[in-house]
Amino acid sequence: MLIKRIYEHFGSLAIAWEADLQALLEVDGIGFKLADAIASNRSTIKPTDLLEQHCAKYPDFWTPADIEYPSLLFEIADPPPVLYYRGHLHLDFSRGHWPTVGIVGTRSPSEYGKRWTRNLSVALTRQGFTIASGLANGIDAVAHRSCLNEDGYTVAVLGTGVDIVYPPHHQTLYDTIANRGLLLSEYANGTPPDRTHFPRRNRIIAGLSRAVLVTEAPQKSGALITARLANDYGRDVYVLPSSLDNTRGRGCLELLNQGGHMILGEAALLEALGSLPQIPQALNSATQPHSIAPQPQLPEALSQVYAQIPADPVALDTIVLSVGLTTGGVLSALVQLELMGLVTQLPGMQYQRTHPS
């Protein structure tokens, strides 16, 4: 994604906004025509005004500059620049501390596919996993409902705006997820279903998940797209084996032939995924107030910047917006704080306290 490449090149979109034509041309994917268009048009655009207008119309959204934006999702090559949400937020989920597994498959599953989707979703939920899927008919709906029946946390990634129920007969499931889980979309409120949206949303399911399970999928299934994307993103793909006579599971057999991990039961899957926190522990950490280390004695400018850096990684853009100083001033302060051993710089121009309390 071009926006991510710009961010990684400059270390900050605020710095990129001020970059001259030559600096823009150094970004992979920006040629003379696009660089000239950016340089000539930005004088007529006020980012703060655009942000205010967007917030007024769509108040519930994240960008990668927000600490709530799922950290695991930002690791993929093309994360959504804007992520709209509705529902019950768990900050630990956004930070990647609440382990997420995607479960996907056919819209018309067999009894075998439904039974094993329930079994696996229940086992994962009891172990403390978040279940991510796409609110579609079939496997998606079974995965969501099975998680909710165990009082688990489920995330539905939509191919519409988060205010649109699709398919319409999933109204009750949609409402339950809105009250107890989370609805996500890269499309603004009011966006209707479109056939091109659903393959795109699959990358978000894969990007949110540490592993993706395909429990039943025919050839040319959208679930196979999700699995291939997950593999491209370095996520593990687990596949439920199917009978040769079952055309609904033919895609699963192909995935296994291509190197997918075979699911041999609930216990074997949990062992393969490793030991993970139970739900009560995750809930406890999610509800604890954010811990800030005692403030050392620092000059005013350094103190201002240090006060905005939490124990968990935070993007440079977020620090700049919080402090109210120039980007150059914040960078200078960060360098001094690093030299003092108080702050650590991480990949992607993110920073965190070196010794959090």
Side-chain angles (χ1 to χ4, degrees), residues 6 26 54 71 101 142 152 174 176 244 253 257 265 268 297 300 346:
I6 292 172
E26 295 174 1
H54 196 84
S71 56
V101 170
V142 173
Y174 170 96
T176 305
L244 288 171
L253 295 179
N257 192 47
Q297 294 297 315
E300 183 176 355
L346 304 172

Side-chain angles (χ1 to χ4, degrees), residues 263-342:
I263 297 173
L264 297 174
E266 302 99 310
L269 175 65
L270 292 175
E271 182 179 0
L273 291 173
S275 178
L276 290 158
Q278 301 294 316
I279 286 179
Q281 295 171 315
L283 283 172
N284 184 60
S285 65
T287 55
Q288 290 301 311
H290 190 59
S291 178
I292 296 293
Q295 181 83 5
Q297 294 297 315
L298 297 169
E300 183 176 355
L302 297 187
S303 179
Q304 280 183 270
V305 174
Y306 185 70
Q308 299 304 320
I309 302 174
D312 296 299
V314 62
L316 174 62
D317 283 352
T318 302
I319 302 171
V320 172
L321 290 172
S322 300
V323 175
L325 300 175
T326 65
T327 300
V330 171
L331 284 171
S332 174
L334 288 169
V335 169
Q336 294 179 65
L337 290 169
E338 281 190 83
L339 292 173
M340 297 168 69
L342 297 173

Side-chain angles (χ1 to χ4, degrees), residues 146-160:
S146 300
C147 177
L148 291 167
N149 288 342
E150 295 295 318
D151 293 324
Y153 190 63
T154 189
V155 178
V157 183
L158 311 183
T160 65

Side-chain angles (χ1 to χ4, degrees), residues 124-284:
L124 290 166
T125 300
R126 289 176 177 174
Q127 188 67 20
F129 284 93
T130 290
I131 302 300
S133 199
L135 200 67
N137 288 326
I139 295 298
D140 289 17
V142 173
H144 288 307
R145 290 193 179 103
S146 300
C147 177
L148 291 167
N149 288 342
E150 295 295 318
D151 293 324
Y153 190 63
T154 189
V155 178
V157 183
L158 311 183
T160 65
V162 293
D163 60 333
I164 302 292
V165 182
Y166 185 81
H169 59 264
H170 278 174
Q171 180 72 61
T172 300
L173 178 58
Y174 170 96
D175 291 339
T176 305
I177 295 174
N179 288 327
R180 295 165 48 194
L182 187 64
L183 300 155
L184 293 177
S185 176
E186 64 181 320
Y187 303 107
N189 291 3
T191 303
D194 185 285
R195 61 185 300 178
T196 64
H197 292 175
F198 296 96
R200 289 283 295 165
R201 68 97 187 268
N202 291 345
R203 84 188 195 285
I204 300 178
I205 297 174
L208 289 170
S209 304
R210 295 187 183 179
V212 168
L213 275 55
V214 184
T215 53
E216 192 170 46
Q219 292 175 307
K220 299 182 180 179
S221 168
L224 304 186
I225 297 174
T226 308
R228 289 169 187 141
L229 287 168
N231 184 67
D232 290 343
Y233 299 153
R235 314 295 159 79
D236 287 334
V237 176
Y238 292 87
V239 186
L240 185 70
S242 181
S243 166
L244 288 171
D245 299 324
N246 178 17
T247 57
R248 296 170 180 174
R250 187 70 186 182
C252 289
L253 295 179
E254 291 185 358
L255 285 175
L256 289 170
N257 192 47
Q258 295 163 9
H261 301 290
M262 186 182 296
I263 297 173
L264 297 174
E266 302 99 310
L269 175 65
L270 292 175
E271 182 179 0
L273 291 173
S275 178
L276 290 158
Q278 301 294 316
I279 286 179
Q281 295 171 315
L283 283 172
N284 184 60

